[in-house]
Amino acid sequence: MTSAATFDFAPLLPAGLPPPAARYTGLPRYNFTGGNNDAEQVPVAGLIAAMTAVMQREGPTLATYGLASGPQGYLPLREFLVAKLKRDAGIVCQPDEILVTSGSLQAIDLVNGVLLTRGDTVLVEQECYQGSLNRLTRLGVKALGIPLDGDGMRMDAVAAALADLKRQGLRPKYIYTIPTVQNPTGTIMPEARRGELLRLAGEYGVPIFEDDCYADLIWDHRRPPALHAMSREGNVIHIGSFSKSIAPALRVGYIVAPWQVLSRMLSIKTDAGSGALEQMVLAEYCAPHFTEHVPALTRGLRAKLDTLMESLNEQFGTSAEFDEPKGGIFLWVKLPDNVDTLKLYPAAAAEGVAINPGPEWSTDKSYSKSRMRLCFASPTHEEIREGVARLAEVCRREFGVPARSANVTRARA
Ligand SMILES: Cc1ncc(COP(=O)(O)O)c(C=O)c1O
């Protein structure tokens, strides 16, 4: 067989498949997209040592699906998570309430898989993780966006939405929130508001789906307890990830949920276990090193955020507005109203600068039209400075703003 073979698969494809993926053509020169991390901060030496130690000790257990730990994931990793979640998020749980997944994207798929059906309604944050929004669209589920302020989801809006749905005889299947370093806005929901959210969820009989993907990356390392920890009713499904604290290519995430739903997720997790090597290396590395690794990582990320904010101020001046995030890897930026970031995106990409246009990260396409999300973790400091300068050039050429940059006034070309 050669690559010129011409068998036509098209007539065999079932209706309703998503559109084909684009071929990978390499990473952009200035990459401000995605949830990629800082290459220099991957603890490579520590992971190599952990890999050697765990393989020497337990390598033969790879002969069994699920190692010797069963289908919920490598037991020492779940034990590490029990201790970590207690220490950092106040969650009290047992290893058998945790399911290790192939990234927290699989966790989202499993939660959706057991709870959602076409035509359902869920509440989400108006600005929200694209991966979650896309999944809901594909499932034919209505995602009702709740506006945010500097403390996350607005509770007056949650209360109004729940009351309004109830009047229509509808009960949303869940309230999805990223309360601890929100993606893309970088806010942290304070404890009192978490209490209010739990009260409303309890009153209307709606579970909360808590996505704590970025919770390890907080500049001052102070966070309120997780919604899961504060819930007295057991109505919170909590997910997390090692993608942002260690490395996204490892593909390891997890779910903490009551057995009643976790057991249903286990039955639809049909991959016979998530990759075992990654789980073994993570457990071996994280148990002794996680608490020293994370502060070093966040120091480096914070320095990159400073470089990004300085570069935006220098190149865009008052044309770029943003609130400083409390942690994480993203800055959510507002450009002047006439800028359409869906159009800025291809123009910037042609110059090697990749950005995430706002409308892909929001349920409100007009509010987000002139907004964009910039990831500052993966570009170097130099790339951040150069990339922002190029982006300002492109934005000026396409939209006439910023009129002035790096103290030089430019005429519109
Ligand atoms: C809020 C949120 N949840 C989940 C994910 C999925 O991450 P992963 O599958 O790498 O754990 C991401 C990725 O960026 C995210 O931003």
Side-chain angles (χ1 to χ4, degrees):
M1 197 200 76
T2 69
S3 59
T6 54
F7 182 82
D8 184 12
F9 286 91
L12 304 177
L13 302 176
L17 277 186
R23 264 188 214 280
Y24 177 68
T25 54
L27 289 171
R29 170 92 179 83
Y30 303 101
N31 189 9
F32 295 103
T33 60
N36 299 310
N37 220 319
D38 184 343
E40 285 182 15
Q41 301 259 20
V42 177
V44 175
L47 293 177
I48 292 171
M51 172 73 127
T52 307
V54 74
M55 274 301 104
Q56 274 169 353
R57 201 179 62 235
E58 294 175 38
T61 61
L62 285 165
T64 315
Y65 283 99
L67 307 163
S69 292
Q72 283 176 249
Y74 184 51
L75 185 57
L77 185 61
R78 287 186 282 137
E79 285 167 345
F80 164 75
L81 284 168
V82 166
K84 174 205 181 308
L85 290 167
K86 172 89 179 53
R87 182 188 65 229
D88 297 342
I91 293 177
V92 178
C93 67
Q94 301 302 318
D96 66 3
E97 290 167 82
I98 298 179
L99 172 59
V100 178
T101 54
S102 303
S104 56
L105 277 172
Q106 187 184 40
I108 295 173
D109 284 334
L110 294 176
V111 174
N112 288 344
V114 298
L115 290 180
L116 300 182
T117 185
R118 188 164 288 278
D120 278 346
T121 300
V122 298
L123 302 194
V124 301
E125 286 150 347
Q126 182 183 291
E127 278 63 61
C128 181
Y129 171 46
Q130 183 195 32
S132 300
L133 290 179
N134 287 348
R135 279 168 167 72
L136 294 169
T137 307
R138 202 176 309 152
L139 290 168
V141 169
K142 181 160 194 270
L144 232 159
I146 302 293
L148 301 160
D149 64 16
D151 287 337
M153 232 180 200
R154 271 179 31 207
M155 286 309 120
D156 58 330
V158 173
L162 289 170
D164 189 44
L165 289 170
K166 190 172 180 183
R167 273 193 296 277
Q168 300 170 48
L170 292 173
R171 180 157 67 138
K173 279 291 180 69
Y174 58 61
I175 302 170
Y176 173 72
T177 174
I178 311 165
T180 319
V181 188
Q182 208 268 340
N183 179 4
T185 58
T187 61
I188 297 180
M189 188 187 289
E191 187 166 349
R193 191 175 286 195
R194 289 173 190 236
E196 179 62 5
L197 179 59
L198 284 162
R199 191 190 67 68
L200 283 167
E203 184 184 330
Y204 287 88
V206 180
I208 295 176
F209 181 4
E210 173 177 47
D211 185 344
D212 247 2
C213 196
Y214 299 90
D216 294 312
L217 308 182
I218 299 176
W219 310 140
D220 66 6
H221 305 291
R222 291 190 0 214
R223 57 158 297 171
L227 288 156
H228 185 288
M230 293 172 67
S231 163
R232 289 199 210 99
E233 301 183 35
N235 60 342
V236 179
I237 296 175
H238 178 98
I239 67 168
S241 178
F242 286 94
S243 289
K244 314 303 164 176
S245 54
I246 306 288
L250 289 172
R251 309 307 305 130
V252 182
Y254 53 89
I255 307 174
V256 188
W259 178 247
Q260 190 199 19
V261 273
L262 201 67
S263 57
R264 307 307 292 260
M265 294 181 209
L266 259 178
S267 343
I268 59 166
K269 188 173 186 293
T270 51
D271 57 6
S274 296
L277 268 186
E278 298 84 330
Q279 297 184 51
M280 294 167 94
V281 172
L282 276 175
E284 193 77 12
Y285 173 78
C286 289
H289 297 303
F290 194 81
T291 49
E292 84 215 21
H293 166 70
V294 166
L297 170 64
T298 48
R299 264 197 305 282
L301 293 174
R302 172 73 227 198
K304 286 190 168 183
L305 168 64
D306 287 338
T307 298
L308 176 60
M309 294 192 299
E310 274 163 34
S311 306
L312 285 167
N313 286 333
E314 195 179 306
Q315 300 294 339
F316 281 82
T318 53
S319 294
E321 295 169 37
F322 45 82
D323 290 325
E324 197 175 303
K326 300 233 165 66
I329 56 177
F330 304 118
L331 189 66
W332 180 240
V333 181
K334 165 82 177 76
L335 295 173
D337 287 343
N338 68 310
V339 177
D340 179 347
T341 52
L342 283 172
K343 295 196 176 122
L344 178 62
Y345 165 74
E351 307 281 335
V353 185
I355 58 160
N356 283 127
E360 294 178 1
W361 303 83
S362 178
T363 58
D364 185 332
K365 305 302 172 202
S366 79
Y367 172 86
S368 54
K369 171 180 156 269
S370 55
R371 289 175 160 84
M372 64 178 170
R373 193 192 74 163
L374 299 177
C375 172
F376 52 82
S378 77
T380 62
H381 288 270
E382 204 184 353
E383 285 166 355
I384 292 173
R385 284 189 211 97
E386 289 177 11
V388 170
R390 271 205 199 190
L391 185 63
E393 286 290 332
V394 176
C395 196
R396 183 179 306 111
R397 192 184 69 214
E398 300 293 320
F399 299 100
V401 283
R404 185 178 233 292
S405 140
N407 293 324
V408 183
T409 309
R410 320 268 166 111
R412 188 169 184 181

